[in-house]
Amino acid sequence: MDLFSPVTLGDIELANRVVMAPLTRLRSGSAGVPGDLVVEHYRQRAGLGLIITEGTYPNAESRAYPGQPGIATDEQAAGWRRVADAVHAEGGRIVMQVMHGGRVSHPDITGTDRIVAPSAIAIQGEAHTATGKVPYPVPHALTTEEVRSTLADIVAASTRAVEAGLDGVEVHSANGYLLHEFLSPNTNQRTDEYGGTPENRARAVLEVVTAIAAEIGAGKVSIRISPMHHVQGMHEVDEADVRATYGHLLDALRPLGLAYASVLHSDPAGELVQELRRRFDGPWIANSGFGTVTTREEAVALIDAAHADAVAVGRPVIANPDLVERWAGQHPENEPDAATFYAAGAEGYTDYPVLAQS
């Protein structure tokens, strides 16, 4: 096998092992409905083995950013159907990353009277709202019943995504958002069945993934985790606790037969990540590129050394819609324009040239 060979992840057949990482781009307006621009952006990138969409919110209070798309309403689902149809017409595959923002938000973004988290602990720092920066508020600590209701919203949104024509869903349990907040002891100080021990902190993630798999089939369901990734106030510093928490989670997910696990970690070939991979014993996507850009050489090496079944790539995919063609032929790459990552409009979104144009 090599980076450019086919691979099957659960029910999803990929033409190659280069995967578009989920990339927040904020082009879906105040209503969170993907429009023509978003359709074209994803269509252009259908040559990737798999597209993982930007994090998409399952209910109103889970929206983390202005301009972020949702999958909470029929209108949003109809927008995503257009995206899926466009990608499929080009022969591509696309799954939706379903993302509850948890405490990484503000009522000015959600339009609700609260933001929610496992515990009432605010992030240090400021939220970017449509009208400027404001301090993150102290979140409402979900009651046990509210946890179950919130998980049910994530299940319903995941079902809606597949009904809209996407090939599956990736359950976002990483990067400091709600499900990651349950996993980490510094953001989960609960005393009910969803807090305390590593097994209890993993419970919400395990329950929601299991419920989604029961609804849409495990071969269409995947999970993203980022153990010891200290962003957005996360603080997982006790490696024994990390191994216990994530090890239990992956041990429990293993029998389901999920499509894949995607792991964001700076050392994807290292001992921690590879131990978790053995415990999951299913298709594995490596993503090292949060702090540094993933290069062709790194991606090739990860597959050649059998450290992963596919590699998630971010910034190079932003700037090179035809990245697989460029990497396969070892052609030069466009440079991404970071100033347009979170802007509005087509610039830096749908206007990067393909090889034939350059």
Side-chain angles (χ1 to χ4, degrees):
M1 75 182 191
D2 66 55
L3 185 64
F4 307 105
S5 64
V7 64
T8 300
L9 308 179
D11 292 353
I12 310 164
E13 295 180 7
L14 282 58
N16 59 72
R17 297 162 189 261
V18 188
V19 172
M20 178 173 169
L23 297 159
T24 299
R25 303 303 302 279
L26 312 181
R27 261 50 172 213
S28 292
S30 58
V33 176
D36 292 348
L37 198 62
V38 177
V39 172
E40 176 60 13
H41 172 74
Y42 285 114
R43 184 201 67 76
Q44 289 177 351
R45 288 157 180 77
L48 279 297
L50 179 67
I51 292 170
I52 305 168
T53 74
E54 62 211 284
T56 303
Y57 62 88
N59 64 16
E61 66 188 12
S62 63
R63 188 177 199 169
Y65 303 103
Q68 182 188 5
I71 186 65
T73 68
D74 290 346
E75 189 184 7
Q76 290 165 349
W80 281 115
R81 175 171 290 286
R82 294 182 58 219
V83 172
D85 287 350
V87 170
H88 291 152
E90 300 286 343
R93 298 285 176 267
I94 182 168
V95 300
M96 178 180 290
Q97 186 185 69
V98 180
M99 169 186 144
H100 192 303
R103 67 181 191 157
V104 187
S105 193
H106 190 278
D108 289 355
I109 297 167
T110 62
T112 60
D113 58 4
R114 65 180 194 179
I115 60 161
V116 302
S119 300
I121 304 166
I123 313 184
Q124 300 301 306
E126 295 177 314
H128 293 259
T129 74
T131 53
K133 294 181 183 179
V134 289
Y136 283 112
V138 176
H140 165 74
L142 293 162
T143 66
T144 305
E145 197 48 52
E146 286 170 341
V147 172
R148 296 191 184 117
S149 171
T150 298
L151 299 181
D153 284 350
I154 298 172
V155 177
S158 300
T159 304
R160 197 177 292 117
V162 171
E163 288 172 348
L166 285 97
D167 297 296
V169 296
E170 178 181 287
V171 182
H172 198 347
S173 311
N175 297 9
Y177 300 111
L178 181 74
L179 294 177
H180 193 190
E181 292 161 17
F182 275 99
L183 291 167
S184 180
N186 80 298
T187 46
N188 182 347
Q189 297 179 5
R190 302 175 68 89
T191 55
D192 66 354
E193 69 231 55
Y194 293 107
T197 64
E199 292 78 12
N200 278 2
R201 281 184 276 115
R203 188 184 305 274
V205 180
L206 183 57
E207 284 185 357
V208 75
V209 174
T210 302
I212 295 167
E215 285 293 321
I216 67 174
K220 292 183 174 65
V221 183
S222 57
I223 184 171
R224 169 175 259 219
I225 56 172
S226 60
M228 304 186 86
H229 185 46
H230 301 143
V231 296
Q232 304 195 127
M234 304 313 289
H235 200 61
E236 294 172 312
V237 291
D238 179 347
E239 189 162 331
D241 181 84
V242 169
R243 285 177 190 269
T245 305
Y246 287 90
H248 171 74
L249 174 64
L250 294 174
D251 286 347
L253 291 176
R254 178 179 185 158
L256 291 181
L258 298 182
Y260 65 83
S262 177
V263 181
L264 180 71
H265 194 277
S266 59
D267 186 11
E271 189 185 336
L272 172 65
V273 174
Q274 291 301 310
E275 179 194 325
L276 294 176
R277 184 186 180 194
R278 286 190 295 274
R279 292 174 78 159
F280 179 67
D281 193 31
W284 196 253
I285 297 180
N287 186 348
S288 67
F290 204 86
T292 58
V293 175
T294 302
T295 63
R296 180 191 188 278
E297 291 66 34
E298 183 192 2
V300 166
L302 283 167
I303 299 301
D304 285 354
H307 289 312
D309 298 290
V311 179
V313 183
R315 280 158 285 191
V317 175
I318 289 178
N320 299 276
D322 55 350
L323 186 70
V324 173
E325 185 184 352
R326 289 177 189 263
W327 277 8
Q330 301 194 51
H331 299 291
E333 295 174 40
N334 302 320
E335 286 298 314
D337 175 11
T340 60
F341 285 176
Y342 309 116
E347 186 184 357
Y349 191 63
T350 56
D351 63 351
Y352 284 104
V354 295
L355 269 173
Q357 295 168 317
S358 54

